[in-house]
Amino acid sequence: MEGLPTSTKAERRWRSKNLQTSKPSLVMAFFSCVAWLYVAGRLWQDAENRTLLANLLKKNIEQRPKVLTVEDKLMVLGCKDLERRIVEAEMDLTLAKSQGYLKHQLRQSGSSDQKLLAVIGVYTGFGSHLKRITFRGSWMPRGDALKKLEERGVVIRFVIGRSANRGDSLDRNIDEENRKTKDFFILDGHEEAQEELPKKAKFFFTAAVQNWDAEFYVKVDDNIDIGLEGLIGLLEQRRGQDSAYIGCMKSGEVVAEEGRPWFEPEWWKFGDEKSYFRHASGSLLILSKNLAQYINVNSASLKTYAHDDISVGSWMMGVQATYIDDNRLCCSSIRQDKVCSVA
């Protein structure tokens, strides 16, 4: 019986010692668990942050403005749509012109809707006052006679542009002369100068077809005299003929040497033979309405050369024009029935 208490004390000591040694282990285990939870939480948070950052970066890349092209900038500014509408309007205008719907198509020959036979434009300049007086006293009607001629369907006007110094004494003198005679056709958009004569042809045919509805449009230099009745008879015979390019047809050498008369700066365009294509002499040439209208519609893109007759001839090469070589329009001819002569 005495051995039992001894055994019990030993057991209690062992248990007490075991409890004392397990307390630090439990503490260590608790802190290890806390540490593990902390590390796991940080790792999970870092992973979540990385995912969030990756998504934000992807979204920023997608929303980052790209490099804008000129087309993009025009679209942003609304210019692209405006450009398209301008092109469409130009196409509509060209179509309207080709069909005869012209904004400035006024009847200057009176209130009658009857189609004229011809509009005859006599080229003149600021220094040609005496020539105009001579013409009015010879073949060109004036005053009431000019109005009666228009009743027959023939309009005649002196054709002139404006001075380089708009509104100067040259312009004022022409305006004053026109108020008295009423026989000028003034090309406000054209600058009157010798070197601008090829462009004057474009302005004349364009403005004439816009202002008068005629069968033919006639360009005449101021260094020739006209047999007016003979010219009217010639045009009457051709009435109703479309695509007619009428004149004294010629060709000739292209002058390539600067300083010589009739020098052509773009001589190299006419080939190795340096010869002009067939064209009507510039002294007097006639176009039917559809050819004059072609010049009107395409005037902005038509090329001019050093001489007006060459320029008109080059325009006719691009269309289905009927070339009519009429010797009666050769002013230096010896024919008795010619309709023009050198003044």
Side-chain angles (χ1 to χ4, degrees):
M1 292 300 291
E2 292 180 357
L4 289 174
T6 304
S7 175
T8 302
K9 290 179 180 180
E11 184 178 354
R12 282 199 299 267
R13 285 195 300 271
W14 179 84
R15 287 178 180 175
S16 176
K17 184 178 180 180
N18 191 33
L19 288 172
Q20 290 176 357
T21 57
S22 64
K23 286 181 180 179
S25 300
L26 290 173
V27 173
M28 290 297 295
F30 172 75
F31 281 112
S32 297
C33 184
V34 171
W36 180 84
L37 290 173
Y38 173 76
V39 172
R42 289 300 302 269
L43 292 175
W44 176 83
Q45 188 177 17
D46 289 344
E48 188 178 46
N49 288 340
R50 282 196 297 272
T51 303
L52 179 62
L53 290 173
N55 291 335
L56 289 174
L57 182 60
K58 182 179 180 181
K59 184 182 291 186
N60 288 337
I61 291 175
E62 291 175 351
Q63 294 181 351
R64 187 177 60 186
K66 62 179 180 179
V67 178
L68 294 179
T69 64
V70 175
E71 296 290 325
D72 295 328
K73 292 177 182 178
L74 290 175
M75 189 69 73
V76 170
L77 295 173
C79 297
K80 192 65 178 176
D81 183 60
L82 180 61
E83 180 186 20
R84 177 184 59 79
R85 283 185 287 173
I86 290 174
V87 171
E88 290 176 354
E90 288 176 343
M91 293 174 65
D92 291 341
L93 178 61
T94 300
L95 179 61
K97 282 184 175 182
S98 66
Q99 294 176 348
Y101 298 98
L102 304 174
K103 181 178 179 182
H104 302 292
Q105 191 168 356
L106 307 175
R107 298 285 186 262
Q108 291 195 6
S109 57
S111 59
S112 174
D113 291 331
Q114 182 180 1
K115 191 172 187 177
L116 298 171
L117 173 64
V119 174
I120 302 174
V122 182
Y123 276 23
T124 190
F126 295 118
S128 300
H129 179 66
L130 294 179
K131 283 187 177 181
R132 292 192 293 272
I133 293 176
T134 301
F135 287 167
R136 294 187 187 108
S138 56
W139 65 268
M140 183 173 174
R142 53 185 175 176
D144 293 338
L146 189 64
K147 293 181 180 178
K148 289 181 179 179
L149 184 64
E150 292 177 9
E151 292 174 1
R152 293 176 56 189
V154 178
V155 172
I156 302 179
R157 294 288 188 274
F158 287 112
V159 182
I160 193 169
R162 287 298 189 182
S163 169
N165 301 311
R166 297 298 176 95
D168 63 6
S169 60
L170 297 176
D171 282 346
R172 293 196 298 271
N173 291 339
I174 292 297
D175 290 336
E176 179 62 28
E177 185 178 347
N178 188 38
R179 276 192 288 271
K180 295 177 181 177
T181 60
K182 301 186 187 313
D183 58 2
F184 277 89
F185 185 32
I186 300 175
L187 306 175
D188 286 316
H190 173 67
E191 181 181 319
E192 188 66 36
Q194 183 66 32
E195 62 273 14
E196 298 294 328
L197 279 178
K199 294 180 182 178
K200 187 174 182 177
K202 281 204 296 188
F203 277 96
F204 166 62
F205 286 114
T206 294
V209 81
Q210 288 181 3
N211 283 274
W212 291 284
D213 181 20
E215 294 274 352
F216 299 101
Y217 298 85
V218 185
K219 177 258 176 179
V220 178
D221 279 345
D222 66 351
N223 60 354
I224 62 173
D225 289 323
I226 298 293
L228 189 55
E229 291 301 322
L231 178 60
I232 293 174
L234 184 153
L235 295 174
E236 285 284 4
Q237 294 173 0
R238 300 287 181 181
R239 186 188 285 272
Q241 182 170 356
D242 285 337
S243 304
Y245 174 37
I246 311 171
C248 178
M249 297 295 169
K250 65 175 186 177
S251 59
E253 177 191 1
V254 178
V255 179
E257 292 76 27
E258 187 172 0
R260 286 182 55 190
W262 313 110
F263 168 63
E264 174 58 68
E266 298 185 76
W267 56 267
W268 54 274
K269 290 185 177 181
F270 296 90
D272 295 336
E273 298 297 326
K274 296 186 179 63
S275 178
Y276 283 122
F277 40 75
R278 202 77 167 162
H279 63 277
S281 171
S283 297
L284 198 165
L285 63 87
I286 304 167
L287 299 181
S288 61
K289 180 181 179 178
N290 64 324
L291 294 182
Q293 201 165 37
Y294 167 78
I295 296 174
N296 171 37
V297 172
N298 299 282
S299 60
S301 58
L302 292 177
K303 164 72 178 174
T304 57
Y305 291 95
H307 313 295
D308 59 350
D309 54 352
I310 300 300
S311 298
V312 175
S314 69
W315 306 335
M316 295 302 101
M317 291 181 69
V319 295
Q320 293 292 333
T322 301
Y323 284 58
I324 300 173
D325 184 12
D326 195 323
N327 289 334
R328 290 174 293 177
L329 300 176
C330 297
C331 302
S332 59
S333 171
I334 60 174
R335 287 186 56 158
Q336 296 298 318
D337 59 347
K338 65 182 181 178
V339 300
C340 63
S341 58
V342 178

